[in-house]
Amino acid sequence: MTDKTFYIETFGCQMNAHDSEKVIGTLVHSGYTQVETPESAGLVVYNTCSIRDKAEQKVFHRLDQFKRATGKGKVFAVIGCVAQQEGERIFEKAPHVSLVAGSASYTRLPEMLVQLEAGARRVTGLSLDTEETFDTPFTRRDNPHRAYITIIEGCDKSCAYCVVPFTRGPERSRTSESVMREATELARAGYTDVQLLGQNVNSYHDPSPAGWDFATLLDRVGRIPGIRRVRFTTSHPRDFVKEIIDAIDENPALCNHVHLPVQSGSSRVLGRMQRLYTRDEYMRRIEWMKGARRNIAITTDIIVGFPGETEEDFQATLDLLDQVEYDSLFSFKYSPRPNTAALAMEDKISEEEKTRRIMIVNEKQRAIQIRRNSGLIGTIEEVMVEGRNEALGQWIGRTSQNRTLNFTRPETDGEPLTGKYVPVRVTRAGPNSLVGECVMSVV
Ligand code: SAM
Ligand code: SF4
């Protein structure tokens, strides 16, 4: 391979988006230049997701397109969760691929690139047997104001539907010192908003003698001078402790938003899913949040149509939505995944029934969001300005509760506000966003 240009496309979650930032940094440090289209690249990288079947199919579709089109002379790399899950089978399905590497092997990326440059046709990084995390000083961040920080990789849970433990390997926490160093450097570079990432951030355990737990790490990151907002995702209810809420109450830099995936409102289904909590135990965590001094927004993930989910189980999920009144949620139809325990379970739910259930969930949630968002009309929210919608003449802001709040500020249109913090009065509300007007000075 002589052409050291690369194109990368990322599928899936924030973990993947951030992995790509680190992979891009590593490639650039190895002498590569990023280009905007696969057509103009010597190396085409797909960072893949296999959480649901649809996500997995996307990469094979892309690879197929290039087999027929401009594939000749290019080097193709499939990295991430599909790479880990399918391994060398990818070479059979798509013979024009030369590199297959899972996220647990990214520390070996520079050496794998050397092999590709030497003309190797089948390079793999597929071992999950690692205690390392992928830390690199070369991360190329997409956004100059908001930054991701990985604090824990992999997952030691075994939810019956989930492929992540097989694609990202066992749990590995970074030392608190290296997380604090990264956050401090980000603050010095002008970042004010950071998001701590992991499949289950609540089970963070500092491997160094300091031995910080997640709540301590969260609080300390929020006390770094210059850091104004700290978010974290994802939480697992089993490991979610009251100290996290206490930290949010004590420390205004910690955003008043918790994403706490429930998956189902039925304890019977939760048991079959091996989620390790009951509905009552989950509700106890919700009560901690509702009892907090700060107004904490709560969001969740729901899976409909898990094998054996009866109409009664489904009704329990709908009832939970009414009981919690989530500020937002992600809903998914159960998708059978390789290696997982649920694959062998009986009483599969038909596609039509899953579609019916997800539509009911979404409709109910939409009504809840309209109600909750309307309740904010007249209040003043501080937003971090993320950009501008020229067509609408509006700035795009995000509240601490993670709502999108688009606003106008007529007297200063044209002044660059992106990255600033602005107080905005909410004037209108829709199911998915708010509209308002800036009320005071900008800081
Ligand atoms: N580790 C996080 C957790 O425990 O919630 C996130 C895992 S996953 C990237 C995000 C969401 O995808 C899950 O919360 C779940 O709702 C959904 N999901 C995972 N596996 C799925 C499957 N096989 N079918 C449908 N949805 C799935
Ligand atoms: Fe998957 Fe469960 Fe681990 Fe989340 S906690 S990544 S859903 S196995």
Side-chain angles (χ1 to χ4, degrees), residues 263-282:
Q263 316 299 356
S264 169
S266 154
S267 291
R268 198 186 70 86
V269 173
L270 290 172
R272 284 167 64 85
M273 287 178 166
Q274 297 168 33
R275 283 291 286 180
L276 310 176
Y277 54 84
T278 61
R279 176 177 173 142
D280 285 349
E281 285 162 344
Y282 181 85

Side-chain angles (χ1 to χ4, degrees), residues 51 154-165 199-200 234 236 263 274-275:
I51 198 81
C155 182
D156 279 353
K157 295 279 186 287
S158 27
C159 301
Y161 51 80
C162 185
V163 81
V164 168
Q199 291 301 334
N200 176 6
T234 295
H236 190 293
Q263 316 299 356
Q274 297 168 33
R275 283 291 286 180

Side-chain angles (χ1 to χ4, degrees), residues 70-86:
T70 57
K72 275 220 164 88
K74 289 186 195 302
V75 172
F76 287 87
V78 178
I79 64 172
C81 292
V82 176
Q84 189 66 52
Q85 179 188 295
E86 293 299 303

Side-chain angles (χ1 to χ4, degrees), residues 218-371:
L218 181 65
D219 181 56
R220 299 292 172 93
V221 171
R223 290 184 193 280
I224 293 172
I227 297 291
R228 294 184 62 161
R229 283 190 176 177
V230 187
R231 301 182 186 280
F232 53 96
T233 195
T234 295
S235 289
H236 190 293
R238 165 79 170 219
D239 303 317
F240 191 92
V241 293
K242 172 91 168 35
E243 283 75 9
I244 299 169
I245 300 301
D246 296 341
I248 294 174
D249 261 346
E250 295 298 320
N251 186 340
L254 307 184
C255 287
N256 49 346
H257 168 218
V258 173
H259 184 67
L260 196 64
V262 66
Q263 316 299 356
S264 169
S266 154
S267 291
R268 198 186 70 86
V269 173
L270 290 172
R272 284 167 64 85
M273 287 178 166
Q274 297 168 33
R275 283 291 286 180
L276 310 176
Y277 54 84
T278 61
R279 176 177 173 142
D280 285 349
E281 285 162 344
Y282 181 85
M283 281 310 297
R284 199 165 320 138
R285 277 119 188 109
I286 298 293
E287 277 150 27
W288 294 339
M289 290 186 240
K290 300 223 178 212
R293 283 195 299 281
R294 292 178 71 195
N295 183 6
I296 298 178
I298 311 170
T299 58
T300 200
D301 294 344
I302 298 283
I303 296 178
V304 297
F306 186 74
E309 183 188 65
T310 62
E311 184 59 31
E312 197 185 341
D313 294 320
F314 177 59
Q315 289 299 328
T317 296
L318 296 179
D319 176 72
L320 182 86
L321 299 195
D322 279 331
Q323 197 179 350
V324 178
E325 293 215 291
Y326 290 105
D327 292 275
S328 171
L329 62 72
F330 295 107
S331 56
F332 306 104
K333 294 188 218 175
Y334 166 70
S335 170
R337 300 285 64 214
N339 305 316
T340 58
L343 208 55
M345 288 184 187
E346 314 234 303
D347 298 325
K348 304 274 189 294
I349 309 296
S350 71
E351 248 341 273
E352 296 72 36
E353 183 56 18
K354 284 187 215 169
T355 304
R356 186 186 76 87
R357 291 183 190 181
I358 203 167
M359 282 168 67
I360 296 172
V361 163
N362 292 346
E363 205 175 305
K364 176 176 271 302
Q365 181 58 25
R366 187 182 151 84
I368 293 172
Q369 284 178 208
I370 290 175
R371 202 160 58 238

